[in-house]
Protein backbone atom coordinates (compact mmCIF):
# COMPACT_ATOMS: atom_id res chain seq x y z
CA UNK A 1 0.00 0.00 0.00
CA UNK A 2 1.43 3.34 -1.04
CA UNK A 3 0.79 6.73 0.61
CA UNK A 4 -1.04 7.99 -2.50
CA UNK A 5 -3.45 5.03 -2.53
CA UNK A 6 -7.03 6.42 -3.02
CA UNK A 7 -8.42 3.93 -0.46
CA UNK A 8 -6.47 5.62 2.35
CA UNK A 9 -8.41 8.34 4.14
CA UNK A 10 -6.03 10.76 5.80
CA UNK A 11 -7.32 12.53 8.93
CA UNK A 12 -5.82 15.78 10.20
CA UNK A 13 -5.29 16.21 13.92
CA UNK A 14 -7.78 18.63 15.43
CA UNK A 15 -6.09 21.90 16.43
CA UNK A 16 -5.44 22.28 20.16
CA UNK A 17 -6.70 25.29 22.04
CA UNK A 18 -4.72 27.15 24.68
CA UNK A 19 -5.95 24.79 27.48
CA UNK A 20 -5.05 21.73 25.42
CA UNK A 21 -1.60 23.05 24.69
CA UNK A 22 -1.05 23.66 28.43
CA UNK A 23 -2.34 20.12 29.28
CA UNK A 24 -4.96 21.75 31.52
CA UNK A 25 -7.72 19.10 31.02
CA UNK A 26 -5.25 16.32 31.83
CA UNK A 27 -3.97 18.11 34.94
CA UNK A 28 -7.54 18.63 36.18
CA UNK A 29 -8.36 14.99 35.46
CA UNK A 30 -5.31 13.86 37.44
CA UNK A 31 -6.16 16.11 40.38
CA UNK A 32 -9.71 14.72 40.42
CA UNK A 33 -8.41 11.15 40.60
CA UNK A 34 -5.96 12.07 43.37
CA UNK A 35 -8.66 13.84 45.38
CA UNK A 36 -11.05 10.91 44.98
CA UNK A 37 -8.43 8.46 46.32
CA UNK A 38 -7.53 10.85 49.15
CA UNK A 39 -11.03 10.68 50.63
CA UNK A 40 -11.99 7.09 49.69
CA UNK A 41 -11.84 4.08 52.00
CA UNK A 42 -8.28 2.80 52.44
CA UNK A 43 -7.59 -0.79 51.36
CA UNK A 44 -3.93 -0.98 52.34
CA UNK A 45 -3.25 -3.08 55.45
CA UNK A 46 -0.20 -2.85 57.67
CA UNK A 47 1.06 -6.40 57.41
CA UNK A 48 2.06 -8.22 59.66
CA UNK A 49 0.37 -6.09 62.36
CA UNK A 50 -2.97 -6.51 60.60
CA UNK A 51 -3.62 -10.01 59.30
CA UNK A 52 -5.64 -10.15 56.10
CA UNK A 53 -8.94 -12.00 56.32
CA UNK A 54 -9.89 -14.59 53.75
CA UNK A 55 -13.45 -15.52 52.93
CA UNK A 56 -12.89 -19.25 53.44
CA UNK A 57 -9.36 -19.99 54.71
CA UNK A 58 -9.79 -23.70 54.03
CA UNK A 59 -9.69 -23.19 50.27
CA UNK A 60 -6.50 -21.15 50.41
CA UNK A 61 -3.44 -23.03 49.21
CA UNK A 62 -0.59 -22.06 51.49
CA UNK A 63 2.25 -23.89 53.17
CA UNK A 64 2.19 -27.70 53.05
CA UNK A 65 1.90 -29.93 56.07
CA UNK A 66 2.35 -33.62 56.67
CA UNK A 67 -0.50 -35.01 58.69
CA UNK A 68 -0.09 -37.39 61.59
CA UNK A 69 -2.25 -40.39 62.35
CA UNK A 70 -4.05 -40.93 65.67
CA UNK A 71 -0.89 -42.44 67.18
CA UNK A 72 1.22 -39.38 66.33
CA UNK A 73 3.11 -41.06 63.48
CA UNK A 74 3.52 -39.55 60.05
CA UNK A 75 0.51 -40.54 57.98
CA UNK A 76 2.44 -40.81 54.71
CA UNK A 77 2.94 -44.32 53.31
CA UNK A 78 5.67 -43.27 50.83
CA UNK A 79 3.69 -44.26 47.75
CA UNK A 80 5.27 -41.43 45.69
CA UNK A 81 1.92 -40.42 44.15
CA UNK A 82 2.33 -36.83 45.32
CA UNK A 83 5.81 -36.59 43.85
CA UNK A 84 4.57 -38.13 40.61
CA UNK A 85 1.59 -35.79 40.36
CA UNK A 86 3.60 -32.66 41.15
CA UNK A 87 4.06 -30.64 37.95
CA UNK A 88 6.85 -28.57 39.50
CA UNK A 89 8.82 -31.63 40.71
CA UNK A 90 9.35 -30.05 44.10
CA UNK A 91 8.67 -33.13 46.26
CA UNK A 92 11.48 -35.53 47.08
CA UNK A 93 10.82 -38.69 49.08
CA UNK A 94 13.17 -41.39 50.29
CA UNK A 95 11.20 -44.42 51.40
CA UNK A 96 12.20 -46.99 53.99
CA UNK A 97 10.64 -50.12 55.39
CA UNK A 98 8.09 -49.25 57.97
CA UNK A 99 8.76 -50.20 61.60
CA UNK A 100 4.98 -50.41 62.09
CA UNK A 101 2.92 -53.43 61.05
CA UNK A 102 0.05 -51.47 59.49
CA UNK A 103 2.00 -50.27 56.43
CA UNK A 104 4.84 -51.41 54.22
CA UNK A 105 6.80 -48.17 53.88
CA UNK A 106 7.14 -44.77 55.43
CA UNK A 107 9.08 -41.69 54.34
CA UNK A 108 12.54 -41.75 55.82
CA UNK A 109 13.04 -38.36 54.18
CA UNK A 110 10.32 -36.11 52.81
CA UNK A 111 11.22 -32.68 51.46
CA UNK A 112 9.28 -30.02 49.61
CA UNK A 113 11.01 -27.13 47.90
CA UNK A 114 8.56 -24.34 48.70
CA UNK A 115 10.27 -21.97 46.27
CA UNK A 116 9.76 -24.34 43.39
CA UNK A 117 6.18 -25.27 44.34
CA UNK A 118 3.38 -23.62 42.38
CA UNK A 119 0.76 -24.45 45.07
CA UNK A 120 -1.54 -26.18 42.59
CA UNK A 121 -2.76 -28.76 45.10
CA UNK A 122 -2.09 -31.78 42.88
CA UNK A 123 -0.09 -33.46 45.67
CA UNK A 124 -3.05 -33.11 47.97
CA UNK A 125 -5.40 -34.57 45.35
CA UNK A 126 -3.11 -37.51 44.58
CA UNK A 127 -2.49 -38.64 48.16
CA UNK A 128 -4.54 -41.80 48.89
CA UNK A 129 -4.23 -41.47 52.69
CA UNK A 130 -4.64 -37.66 53.01
CA UNK A 131 -1.14 -37.35 54.41
CA UNK A 132 -0.27 -34.08 52.70
CA UNK A 133 -2.44 -30.97 52.80
CA UNK A 134 -2.07 -27.33 51.97
CA UNK A 135 -2.79 -24.99 54.87
CA UNK A 136 -3.92 -21.40 54.97
CA UNK A 137 -0.48 -20.20 56.16
CA UNK A 138 0.64 -17.65 53.61
CA UNK A 139 3.49 -15.73 55.22
CA UNK A 140 6.28 -17.95 54.01
CA UNK A 141 9.66 -16.39 54.56
CA UNK A 142 13.26 -17.45 54.66
CA UNK A 143 16.67 -15.88 54.36
CA UNK A 144 18.15 -18.56 52.16
CA UNK A 145 17.08 -21.15 49.66
CA UNK A 146 17.93 -23.91 52.13
CA UNK A 147 15.46 -22.50 54.65
CA UNK A 148 12.70 -22.78 52.07
CA UNK A 149 13.22 -26.49 51.54
CA UNK A 150 10.90 -28.00 54.13
CA UNK A 151 11.94 -31.38 55.49
CA UNK A 152 9.73 -33.91 57.24
CA UNK A 153 10.21 -32.43 60.70
CA UNK A 154 9.31 -28.94 59.53
CA UNK A 155 6.26 -30.22 57.65
CA UNK A 156 5.14 -32.11 60.77
CA UNK A 157 5.65 -28.97 62.85
CA UNK A 158 3.33 -27.13 60.47
CA UNK A 159 0.77 -29.83 61.26
CA UNK A 160 1.21 -29.21 64.98
CA UNK A 161 0.76 -25.46 64.44
CA UNK A 162 -2.37 -25.76 62.29
CA UNK A 163 -4.17 -28.89 63.48
CA UNK A 164 -6.53 -27.04 65.82
CA UNK A 165 -7.47 -24.24 63.41
CA UNK A 166 -7.56 -26.50 60.36
CA UNK A 167 -8.44 -30.10 61.20
CA UNK A 168 -7.60 -32.76 58.64
CA UNK A 169 -10.16 -32.69 55.88
CA UNK A 170 -10.58 -36.45 55.92
CA UNK A 171 -11.38 -36.38 59.64
CA UNK A 172 -13.55 -33.26 59.69
CA UNK A 173 -15.52 -34.35 56.63
CA UNK A 174 -15.70 -30.75 55.53
CA UNK A 175 -15.39 -30.15 51.84
CA UNK A 176 -13.69 -26.76 51.72
CA UNK A 177 -15.08 -25.92 48.31
CA UNK A 178 -18.70 -26.61 49.14
CA UNK A 179 -20.34 -24.25 51.65
CA UNK A 180 -21.70 -25.91 54.81
Amino acid sequence: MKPDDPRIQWVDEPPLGLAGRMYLPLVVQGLAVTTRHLFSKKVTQSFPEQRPQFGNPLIYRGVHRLNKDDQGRVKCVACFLCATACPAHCIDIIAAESPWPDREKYPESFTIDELRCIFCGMCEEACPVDAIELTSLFDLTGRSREEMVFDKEKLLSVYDMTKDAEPMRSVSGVDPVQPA
Side-chain angles (χ1 to χ4, degrees):
M1 188 172 284
K2 296 180 178 178
D4 59 345
D5 191 336
R7 293 177 293 176
I8 296 176
Q9 183 179 7
W10 293 96
V11 179
D12 294 327
E13 288 184 33
L16 291 176
L18 179 64
R21 283 184 279 177
M22 294 177 63
Y23 302 102
L24 198 55
L26 298 174
V27 170
V28 170
Q29 215 173 17
L31 286 174
V33 170
T34 303
T35 305
R36 188 173 60 238
H37 284 286
L38 199 62
F39 295 106
S40 65
K41 182 183 174 192
K42 307 297 180 262
V43 293
T44 304
Q45 293 182 340
S46 297
F47 182 81
E49 291 84 15
Q50 295 175 328
R51 306 286 297 180
Q53 298 296 319
F54 300 111
N56 183 359
L58 295 179
I59 61 171
Y60 185 81
R61 293 180 186 155
V63 177
H64 301 80
R65 75 177 183 192
L66 271 180
N67 290 330
K68 294 180 181 177
D69 63 8
D70 53 352
Q71 297 175 19
R73 305 173 302 185
V74 63
K75 208 171 176 185
C76 178
V77 294
C79 65
F80 294 91
L81 285 176
C82 56
T84 304
C86 179
H89 304 291
C90 65
I91 300 174
D92 186 39
I93 304 171
I94 297 174
E97 271 194 47
S98 171
W100 311 299
D102 60 341
R103 62 183 89 163
E104 292 178 17
K105 296 183 291 181
Y106 84 107
E108 186 176 69
S109 167
F110 193 107
T111 57
I112 298 179
D113 187 345
E114 296 285 346
L115 292 178
R116 181 180 261 190
C117 178
I118 58 173
F119 300 94
C120 65
M122 293 298 289
C123 54
E124 196 177 30
E125 293 287 326
C127 184
V129 293
D130 297 325
I132 187 168
E133 286 183 338
L134 296 169
T135 64
S136 64
L137 295 177
F138 57 88
D139 46 352
L140 187 64
T141 58
R143 287 178 277 177
S144 67
R145 182 162 191 85
E146 290 76 25
E147 285 183 23
M148 301 307 289
V149 177
F150 283 26
D151 60 359
K152 187 170 81 175
E153 287 72 30
K154 198 167 186 177
L155 292 166
L156 289 171
S157 71
V158 172
Y159 171 78
D160 292 333
M161 284 183 348
T162 60
K163 67 182 179 186
D164 296 328
E166 300 173 34
M168 282 189 290
R169 293 182 186 135
S170 61
V171 173
S172 67
V174 174
D175 185 359
V177 178
Q178 300 295 323

